[in-house]
């Protein structure tokens, strides 16, 4: 199988955030999509090994921030390449509360969701979230995963669904 074909599927770059015992936490995801419009439902795919996965399982809530092409490297570096098992990610990252959920203010749009169902795979859980609130944060261009790889020259972290070992 040519795994590079999977990289031709269109993706975005998102911050998925939630709470861990009263502290904001989160990770970067590239697999998120709208499932329905009424009721508005969003799906996100999170690796079982991500600390954020357990927090979403516990709280049954998450926020999705659509990140823009100009998002700071600190946001992607902190949320995407470090674990909340090792650091408190939001000690260095700013966030805003939207519908009582942490949202990245550098984003283009946000959604706050209640988990209504899950689908398990070998490595990831797909969380279906009923949207409670959504809003536009800016008119910036959303970052695609192709832009992330081709323009920013970034690699997929090991827990990403699109990770391909070299």
């Amino acid at each position: 199988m040519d795994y590079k074909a999977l990289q031709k599927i269109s993706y975005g770059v998102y911050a998925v955030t939630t709470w861990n015992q009263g502290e904001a936490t989160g990770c970067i995801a590239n697999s998120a999509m709208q499932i329905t419009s009424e009721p508005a439902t969003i799906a996100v795919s999170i690796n079982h090994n991500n600390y954020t996965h357990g927090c979403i399982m516990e709280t049954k809530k998450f926020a999705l921030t659509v990140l823009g092409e100009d998002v700071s490297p600190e946001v992607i570096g902190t949320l995407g390449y470090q674990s909340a098992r090792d650091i408190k990610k939001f000690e260095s990252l700013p966030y805003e509360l939207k519908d009582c959920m942490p949202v990245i203010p550098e984003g283009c749009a946000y959604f706050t969701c209640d988990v209504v169902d899950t689908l398990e795979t070998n490595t990831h859980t797909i969380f279906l979230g009923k949207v409670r609130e959504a809003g536009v944060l800016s008119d910036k261009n959303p970052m695609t995963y192709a832009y992330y790889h081709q323009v920013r020259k970034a690699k997929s972290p090991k827990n990403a669904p699109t990770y391909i070992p070299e």
Side-chain angles (χ1 to χ4, degrees):
M1 180 164 92
D2 184 353
Y3 287 96
K4 292 199 183 278
L6 293 171
Q7 294 176 338
K8 298 297 182 183
I9 296 173
S10 182
Y11 301 96
V13 181
Y14 310 95
V16 178
T17 53
T18 191
W19 294 107
N20 175 38
Q21 300 175 7
E23 290 187 11
T25 193
C27 64
I28 296 294
N30 69 335
S31 296
M33 66 179 179
Q34 177 184 344
I35 300 297
T36 61
S37 57
E38 189 56 47
T41 306
I42 300 285
V44 297
S45 177
I46 306 293
N47 190 294
H48 294 154
N49 293 328
N50 281 17
Y51 189 82
T52 303
H53 177 277
C55 296
I56 295 172
M57 290 292 266
E58 185 175 315
T59 64
K60 304 291 186 217
K61 296 180 184 311
F62 66 87
L64 178 76
T65 304
V66 179
L67 298 178
E69 290 176 344
D70 64 345
V71 68
S72 69
E74 291 77 24
V75 169
I76 292 175
T78 301
L79 293 177
Y81 291 92
Q82 298 186 59
S83 174
R85 289 179 187 89
D86 304 322
I87 68 162
K88 293 181 178 186
K89 295 181 176 186
F90 286 94
E91 279 187 347
S92 63
L93 289 181
Y95 67 92
E96 296 176 355
L97 290 179
K98 301 287 187 182
D99 188 30
C100 300
M101 294 297 292
V103 169
I104 305 300
E106 285 187 56
C108 301
Y110 74 92
F111 304 86
T112 62
C113 301
D114 291 323
V115 175
V116 294
D117 208 349
T118 60
L119 174 66
E120 293 298 327
T121 72
N122 290 341
T123 59
H124 288 68
T125 299
I126 298 169
F127 293 97
L128 295 180
K130 182 179 177 186
V131 177
R132 290 191 326 247
E133 183 176 302
V136 174
L137 297 168
S138 75
D139 62 354
K140 300 173 186 175
N141 289 329
M143 185 185 308
T144 65
Y145 216 46
Y147 182 94
Y148 176 74
H149 287 292
Q150 295 165 5
V151 176
R152 291 228 173 165
K153 306 291 185 202
K155 302 280 184 194
S156 299
K158 190 173 181 179
N159 286 347
T162 55
Y163 174 75
I164 299 171
E166 302 221 9

